[in-house]
Amino acid sequence: MAQVCSYKEAGFNTLCDELEWRGLINQSTDRQQLAQALNGEPISFYTGFDPSAASLHIGNLVQVLLMRHLQEAGHHAYAVVGGATGLIGDPRQSGERTLNPKDVVGAWVESLRAQIGPLLINSGDNAVTFLNNYDWTGNISAIDFLRDVGKNFRLGTMLAKDTVARRLNSQEGISFTEFSYQVLQGNDFLYLYDTYGITLQTGGADQWGNLVSGLDLIRKVRGANVHVMTSPLITDSQGKKFGKSEGGAIWLDPAMLSSYRFYQFWYNQPDSEVIKLLKFFTFLPKPEIERLEREVDTNPGAREAQRTLAWEVTSFVRGDKAARGAIDAAEALFGRGEVALDAVDTDTFEASVDGLKVADGQGGKVFAQVASGSRVTEAAVAAGLFRSVSEARKTVASGGVYINNRRVEDAEQAVGGSDLLHGRFVLLRRGKKALGVVEVH
């Protein structure tokens, strides 16, 4: 991973200059005042992460990276993992959230703390501080909450928030539970302002209404001006929410998504998106990103920008070893590089070929099954590389079928025995790019 550097080392006059160049600022309070605050003496800021799953996904990663930029500029980071707000859930446009059990949410709080910590400065004078909003919210009685906090919120303002307004106009409506989320988050900012002197809250663009609820509360009850800043919700070239794949979210936790698939997600980004993503998701300095942009224009086939993006993000999130393993596995699968296919360990191999499973006829996916001694053409059909054995035979005859990266010379060749990888798999390839895998029994 490239060295993480401050905005001054990267050649920018102010931190806001760099954040705006990277596209990391969507909305904020007064931009000039915010820039002055971020370019002056260190301030304390916080970002909230609600534990709605056991892992963050790459949409959350934007917030972590923004925190790291602020830390590198000398500002003091507080990561608030929402043990309280996570029990409620912020209103979604699509409908009510499922309320998870307290013990599940508690376990997810610890998972997220462990995941976020290594990505931020976590030692020394400017180490991140972790907090759990359940610690100051869990013991407040309903009466005290309504009297001390709720009285400062006006219903008209709350109803006008975008997500709330959309839900009110939907068939499902919105429950009082989710409606009250903005009051809880507003109270968090007030508590953090009073206790830790925090004057800036950051979050995603969809959190703007919740963020300004705390700003308004502090102004009303303390007469103080604080700041909020959001980063944009990342979308792909079709305008869809970035970070969703056919199999679901792109999780940061390797137990939920292999490092191979994580790396490949970034590597497979199109030329039209890769420079934007390098600005968002890496710490590469401006001159290097501009050089990669020229490479995309002049030599797109080399995919240097995509390789750089995949390495930088994977090594930052998963570590250099995991990133190198993902590269070695990819090269081995396609018969490139110095790593032999049978040298890829079992876990990495299975994770690498997980996307090559075929439909099981019951809505799931499994590795294609063939009997030991089956012809390679039958195995290739089972793996989904061909529609028929006759089509597979023709491609074998033209030299376009490979078994474990060795060209198949005989359409009658059987699979099994020494062909087996890790005692059960055979990797098949049609041409240069189409892969399939069968499990031999």
Side-chain angles (χ1 to χ4, degrees), residues 8-244:
K8 293 179 181 178
E9 294 171 310
F12 292 93
N13 292 324
T14 70
L15 176 58
C16 276
D17 288 343
E18 179 176 10
L19 297 179
E20 287 177 336
W21 176 77
R22 291 186 181 276
L24 285 170
I25 301 179
N26 181 62
Q27 289 176 285
S28 74
T29 45
D30 185 278
R31 191 66 58 90
Q32 185 176 356
Q33 290 182 10
L34 177 62
Q36 289 174 349
L38 293 178
N39 213 40
E41 292 299 314
I43 66 170
S44 295
F45 72 95
Y46 93 94
T47 306
F49 300 89
D50 275 349
S52 56
S55 171
L56 299 177
H57 53 73
I58 62 172
N60 307 122
L61 181 59
V62 177
Q63 295 308 310
V64 177
L65 292 167
L66 179 57
M67 293 182 74
R68 184 63 182 267
H69 279 293
L70 292 169
Q71 272 190 301
E72 294 293 337
H75 301 297
H76 307 307
Y78 290 76
V80 177
V81 183
T85 45
L87 292 170
I88 301 299
D90 62 317
R92 296 184 303 176
Q93 295 184 23
S94 56
E96 290 282 320
R97 292 181 182 273
T98 300
L99 298 182
N100 295 298
K102 287 185 177 181
D103 59 335
V104 171
V105 173
W108 288 349
V109 167
E110 296 308 312
S111 294
L112 265 56
R113 285 171 59 113
Q115 194 171 78
I116 295 168
L119 305 181
L120 298 172
I121 297 173
N122 55 26
S123 61
D125 295 337
N126 201 29
V128 60
T129 299
F130 280 96
L131 301 170
N132 182 344
N133 60 16
Y134 193 83
D135 293 340
W136 60 83
T137 306
N139 292 325
I140 300 176
S141 71
I143 295 297
D144 287 341
F145 184 74
L146 291 172
R147 283 175 57 86
D148 298 339
V149 183
K151 69 179 180 181
N152 296 297
F153 286 79
R154 292 296 172 262
L155 198 58
T157 303
M158 297 175 70
L159 291 170
K161 300 292 173 64
D162 287 345
T163 302
V164 172
R166 290 193 192 98
R167 287 283 298 279
L168 283 171
N169 292 322
S170 69
Q171 186 174 1
E172 185 175 3
I174 186 170
S175 69
F176 176 77
T177 299
E178 288 196 1
F179 181 64
S180 66
Y181 182 92
Q182 58 185 290
V183 182
L184 288 170
Q185 187 163 327
N187 185 58
D188 284 347
F189 201 173
L190 175 61
Y191 175 86
L192 295 168
Y193 172 82
D194 286 342
T195 309
Y196 300 98
I198 289 173
T199 56
L200 169 66
Q201 181 182 183
T202 67
D206 58 342
Q207 289 292 308
W208 176 257
N210 295 325
L211 270 62
V212 297
S213 67
L215 177 147
D216 292 339
L217 179 61
I218 292 170
R219 182 182 295 139
K220 185 171 185 177
V221 302
R222 298 290 182 262
N225 290 320
V226 293
H227 293 283
V228 298
M229 177 172 64
T230 64
S231 57
L233 299 181
I234 314 301
T235 57
D236 61 21
S237 55
Q238 281 77 46
K240 296 179 182 178
K241 194 172 184 180
F242 184 72
K244 296 291 184 180

Side-chain angles (χ1 to χ4, degrees), residues 222-338:
R222 298 290 182 262
N225 290 320
V226 293
H227 293 283
V228 298
M229 177 172 64
T230 64
S231 57
L233 299 181
I234 314 301
T235 57
D236 61 21
S237 55
Q238 281 77 46
K240 296 179 182 178
K241 194 172 184 180
F242 184 72
K244 296 291 184 180
S245 70
E246 214 171 286
I250 305 300
W251 301 106
L252 302 194
D253 189 341
M256 297 175 68
L257 186 77
S258 72
S259 293
Y260 172 83
R261 290 182 63 193
F262 189 84
Y263 180 94
Q264 288 296 311
F265 171 81
W266 299 102
Y267 180 77
N268 289 326
Q269 294 303 313
D271 291 344
S272 60
E273 298 293 304
V274 67
I275 300 303
K276 177 183 75 173
L277 298 176
L278 282 165
K279 292 179 181 180
F280 275 130
F281 289 101
T282 79
F283 296 94
L284 291 173
K286 183 179 179 181
E288 176 62 8
I289 292 178
E290 289 175 339
R291 184 192 70 79
L292 290 168
E293 187 171 18
R294 292 191 294 271
E295 284 296 309
V296 171
D297 292 336
T298 60
N299 189 18
R303 295 184 70 76
E304 183 183 359
Q306 283 86 349
R307 286 202 312 274
T308 302
L309 174 67
W311 170 264
E312 290 294 323
V313 183
T314 307
S315 61
F316 178 70
V317 174
R318 302 286 180 84
D320 289 359
K321 183 178 179 180
R324 174 50 56 190
I327 294 171
D328 290 345
E331 291 182 342
L333 288 181
F334 289 95
R336 301 189 294 262
E338 300 179 358

